[in-house]
């Protein structure tokens, strides 16, 4: 299953793209400052206003089950280097009206729990990435330093897999034009510890 859902935060503009098997854009649920606009790129655009203290989220309207392993692929595209704090790819059980705090909370913590997420922090050109399970994230740096900036107007493909039995996140990033693939592994918590059941039904979002 592919979902392109995204939590964007203040002063960040990015697009994400997904298509159903028929080629149509699927319905998504927009929360907070997130909006849909495909005029600047041939795909869905999720653009919070270019002002401070903004948070937005986009969720798949239909939950999906995690049966041992969940895999998701995203397309991200930043239209400006004047980015905000961060964004997160999230799996959560709270529904499609869920939204976290702005600024360093990345539109994720503290409200989006139980959940797991891969977050990218871009504040002041500080490019770091890491996987978390609804707990307060380290500040200002996440677990790993990105080998290149993702806010230079270039498109990127991002994938992640969450092994619910082991609590292990594997995720990767590659420029859409090709080149090296960067991969990381983070141990968070298993699905039972986070969601209360071994095979939870979750909403995917950004």
């Amino acid at each position: 299953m592919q979902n392109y859902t995204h939590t964007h935060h203040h002063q960040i503009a990015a697009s994400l793209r997904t298509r159903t098997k028929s080629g149509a854009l699927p319905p998504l649920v927009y929360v907070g400052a997130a909006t849909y606009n495909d005029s600047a790129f041939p795909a869905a655009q999720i653009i919070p206003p270019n002002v401070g203290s903004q948070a937005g989220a986009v969720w798949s309207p239909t939950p999906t089950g995690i049966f041992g392993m969940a895999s998701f692929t995203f397309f991200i595209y930043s239209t400006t280097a004047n980015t905000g704090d961060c964004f997160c790819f999230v799996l959560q059980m709270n529904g499609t009206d869920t939204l976290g705090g702005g600024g360093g909370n990345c539109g994720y913590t503290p409200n989006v729990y139980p959940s797991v997420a891969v977050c990218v922090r871009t504040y002041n050109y500080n490019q770091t990435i890491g996987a978390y399970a609804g707990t307060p994230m380290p500040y200002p740096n996440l677990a790993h330093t990105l080998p290149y900036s993702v806010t230079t107007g270039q498109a990127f493909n991002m994938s992640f897999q969450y092994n619910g039995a082991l609590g292990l996140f594997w995720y990767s990033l590659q420029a859409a034009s090709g080149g090296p693939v960067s991969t990381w592994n983070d141990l968070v918590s298993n699905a039972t510890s986070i969601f209360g059941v071994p095979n939870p039904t979750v909403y995917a979002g950004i």
Side-chain angles (χ1 to χ4, degrees), residues 93-109:
M93 296 182 69
N94 297 330
T96 57
D97 59 349
T98 300
L99 181 62
N105 292 305
C106 303
Y108 175 45
T109 58

Side-chain angles (χ1 to χ4, degrees), residues 111-140:
N111 306 326
V112 187
Y113 190 80
S115 64
V116 291
V118 173
C119 297
V120 179
R121 180 160 279 151
T122 56
Y123 183 67
N124 282 349
Y125 307 97
N126 188 26
Q127 308 275 319
T128 57
I129 191 170
Y132 300 93
T135 56
M137 295 178 293
Y139 188 87

Side-chain angles (χ1 to χ4, degrees), residues 35-176:
T35 60
Y36 173 84
N37 183 340
D38 63 357
S39 61
F41 194 78
Q45 290 245 348
I46 316 305
I47 309 177
N50 190 23
V51 295
S53 301
Q54 297 294 306
V58 186
W59 301 108
S60 173
T62 304
T64 185
I66 298 177
F67 298 102
M69 180 80 72
S71 299
F72 295 84
T73 301
F74 303 86
F75 180 91
I76 59 175
Y77 174 71
S78 172
T79 59
T80 174
N82 181 25
T83 64
D85 291 275
C86 44
F87 55 90
C88 300
F89 304 90
V90 183
L91 306 177
Q92 52 87 9
M93 296 182 69
N94 297 330
T96 57
D97 59 349
T98 300
L99 181 62
N105 292 305
C106 303
Y108 175 45
T109 58
N111 306 326
V112 187
Y113 190 80
S115 64
V116 291
V118 173
C119 297
V120 179
R121 180 160 279 151
T122 56
Y123 183 67
N124 282 349
Y125 307 97
N126 188 26
Q127 308 275 319
T128 57
I129 191 170
Y132 300 93
T135 56
M137 295 178 293
Y139 188 87
N141 297 323
L142 300 181
H144 313 283
T145 300
L146 292 177
Y148 38 70
S149 174
V150 296
T151 56
T152 57
Q154 185 178 8
F156 293 89
N157 295 315
M158 185 171 184
S159 299
F160 76 74
Q161 293 180 340
Y162 172 61
N163 186 315
L166 299 178
L168 181 67
F169 254 115
W170 174 92
Y171 48 104
S172 67
L173 184 71
Q174 182 186 31

